Structure formats: C-alpha cells, structure tokens
Amino acid sequence: MIHFVGAGPGAPDLITLRGKSYLEQADVIIYAGSLVNPALLEYAKEGCQVYNSATMTLDEVIEVMDAAEKDGKTTVRLHTGDPAIYGAIREQIDRLDALGYEHDVTPGVSSAFGTAAALQAEYTLPNVSQSVIFTRMEGRTPMPPKQSIEEFAAHHATMVIFLSAGMLDTLSAQLIAGGYEPETPAALVYKATWPDQKVVRGTVAELAEMGAENNITKTALTVVGWCLGNDYELSRLYADDFSTEFRKAKHS
Ligand code: SAH
C-alpha cells in the first residue's frame, strides 16, 4: 500500500492526525526534501527506510515503491502542503496503477492556507472577492493557453501565486498589465508556519522591492487582491436580518 500524504506547510503539528499515523506505520518514507520539514521524520518508526525525493527521478521513486510493494511493505510518499497542488502525484499514481498497486491520498494544509493564516486574511471577503485563483508564473513548466497572469488579473479575484518568488518584477508588471491597479494590496509570505516565517505587506507595484529588501527569492507565496485591504461588506451569514437553516432572523 502506498499512501500519498500532505505534510502541511511547514510546522510539524500541522500534519493531519491520519497523515501522522501513516508516517508512524510506514516501512518506507519518500519525502520531498526541498520543502517538507524534516522534523516530521521523527514520527518514523525505527528501521524505516527514508528517501529524499529531491535527488531522485520519477523512475527512481517508482523503483523504491515497487521494491517496497514486492516486500509487502507500507510506503508513505510525503508531499509538501497538499499533494493536489503542484505535487506531481498524478504521474506517480498512473505508474502505480500500471503496476497494479493500491494507493490513497491524505490531504494536507496547503501553504496557500498557511499563508492566509500568517496574514490573518480571509481570501473570500463579501463584495470584494468571492473567488480564489491558485496559479504560478510560467517557468520551465509552460502555462496552458488562457491561463496567463494577465488573463487572471483581469478578474480581480484573490490570487495566490506559487513558484514565482524569483520573478517578482515580471510578476508585478504582468499583474498590472492584466488590469490590477498598481496600488492593489499584495503580500509576500516566506516559509509560512516555519519558525523563520516572514510576512511582508505592500502593493502590486512594490512586489519586487518587497522581495529584494527581505531577501525573498524562493519558498514564498504572493497574495494579491483587495481582500488584503480594509473595505468590505459584512457577511450575510451572520447578519441579524438573515435567517438560515440554523438560526431565525432577529428582524427583517
Ligand atoms: N503542494 C504545495 C505546493 C508545492 S509547490 C502546497 O500545497 O503548499 C512549491 C511552492 O509552494 C513554493 O515555490 C512556494 O511558492 C510554495 N510554498 C511551499 N511551502 C511554503 C511555505 N511554507 N510558505 C510559503 N510558500 C510555500
């Protein structure tokens, strides 16, 4: 059995109870060493074989899983944040299916939410943004058509931008070219939930200098949108003239 497990954004106590229990049972752990907090490996039992996937190819990862399956062992594939976001799990799952091995996925707290917590932000503020776009800039992985930063910026939704902290000057220019006003609030969160977390607030126009002044070039998310500003409407859910399934309106 192969368990794909979300490690959470960094702080070791942000893994789920299920994820921790799989780590404790695992005979083999393959962890994404570039971003997973190694403190999580302390949950591994004695004799557990531990591999860092940062130095491995897909074929090598599959070989380790294949050998473990042939020995009847349990493997945990530990991915940073939530495995569904830039986790490259699909290519592993397809290979495991071809080999006929069982697998499941345990979700994790994405760094998108570790970052929201660090900012104490609500991404979906009433009348400001009711949608969140998780995206990235084009790097070695090309962006599919109709998914450029400019095209997304036109929506004025909350944007959480991964894998782009090394290209903040271009990011800022593309956001503005797409229609975000230069003064739109923006934040840069480095290593959300880790002890050396940094939170920098500013505007879309200031992103490059926010990064440069704080030496942030990787392991950071950029959040953009007026949800980081101060104008919004109170939610209908808690309004006193609003009835819900659980609560009658106090007045209409
Ligand atoms: N599956 C992960 C994302 C993997 S992509 C998740 O759900 O969080 C790797 C990118 O995620 C990094 O380049 C960075 O942009 C972001 N990232 C991962 N951990 C982070 C953290 N603790 N704080 C800020 N950004 C982080």
Side-chain angles (χ1 to χ4, degrees), residues 28-224:
V28 177
I29 296 174
I30 310 171
Y31 74 106
S34 52
L35 286 167
V36 166
N37 191 334
L40 285 168
L41 301 174
E42 287 166 23
Y43 294 133
K45 67 184 180 193
E46 228 177 272
C48 173
Q49 294 165 257
V50 178
Y51 296 86
N52 178 354
S53 64
T55 62
M56 297 163 77
T57 62
L58 173 62
D59 282 342
E60 288 166 344
V61 167
I62 301 299
E63 272 166 38
V64 170
M65 292 174 172
D66 187 34
E69 287 298 300
K70 286 182 172 138
D71 287 348
K73 290 178 173 168
T74 299
T75 301
V76 165
R77 177 70 172 103
L78 192 59
H79 283 276
T80 178
D82 186 281
I85 307 289
Y86 306 114
I89 60 165
R90 175 62 192 269
E91 60 195 32
Q92 299 172 71
I93 287 172
D94 285 350
R95 294 280 293 270
L96 295 175
D97 282 342
L99 292 165
Y101 295 143
E102 257 191 285
H103 43 76
D104 63 12
V105 180
T106 301
V109 177
S110 172
S111 60
F113 299 109
T115 288
L119 292 166
Q120 299 202 21
E122 179 177 347
Y123 288 154
T124 55
L125 270 189
N127 217 25
V128 173
S129 177
Q130 290 292 286
S131 316
V132 186
I133 295 170
F134 290 168
T135 189
R136 60 170 299 169
M137 287 176 74
E138 184 157 274
R140 275 176 300 181
T141 306
M143 290 301 280
K146 302 192 188 164
Q147 297 189 20
S148 68
I149 295 285
E150 283 96 330
E151 277 159 300
F152 284 136
H155 294 279
H156 282 61
T158 303
M159 288 177 73
V160 180
I161 304 156
F162 289 76
L163 293 158
S164 306
M167 303 177 264
L168 292 173
D169 46 352
T170 317
L171 175 62
S172 166
Q174 292 180 350
L175 287 165
I176 294 169
Y180 260 126
E181 304 74 19
E183 65 276 17
T184 306
L188 211 51
V189 177
Y190 169 77
K191 290 188 91 174
T193 81
W194 289 72
D196 48 345
Q197 164 183 298
K198 284 186 207 168
V199 175
V200 188
R201 292 175 191 264
T203 65
V204 167
E206 293 162 349
L207 274 173
E209 59 184 269
M210 286 156 63
E213 279 171 9
N214 295 280
N215 290 319
I216 300 175
T217 56
K218 59 174 194 169
T219 327
L221 286 182
T222 305
V223 180
V224 177

Side-chain angles (χ1 to χ4, degrees), residues 235-250:
S235 75
R236 299 303 297 147
L237 186 59
Y238 297 105
D240 60 7
D241 61 348
F242 194 72
S243 291
T244 73
E245 190 187 341
F246 304 103
R247 178 173 64 74
K248 275 210 165 17
K250 294 212 163 125

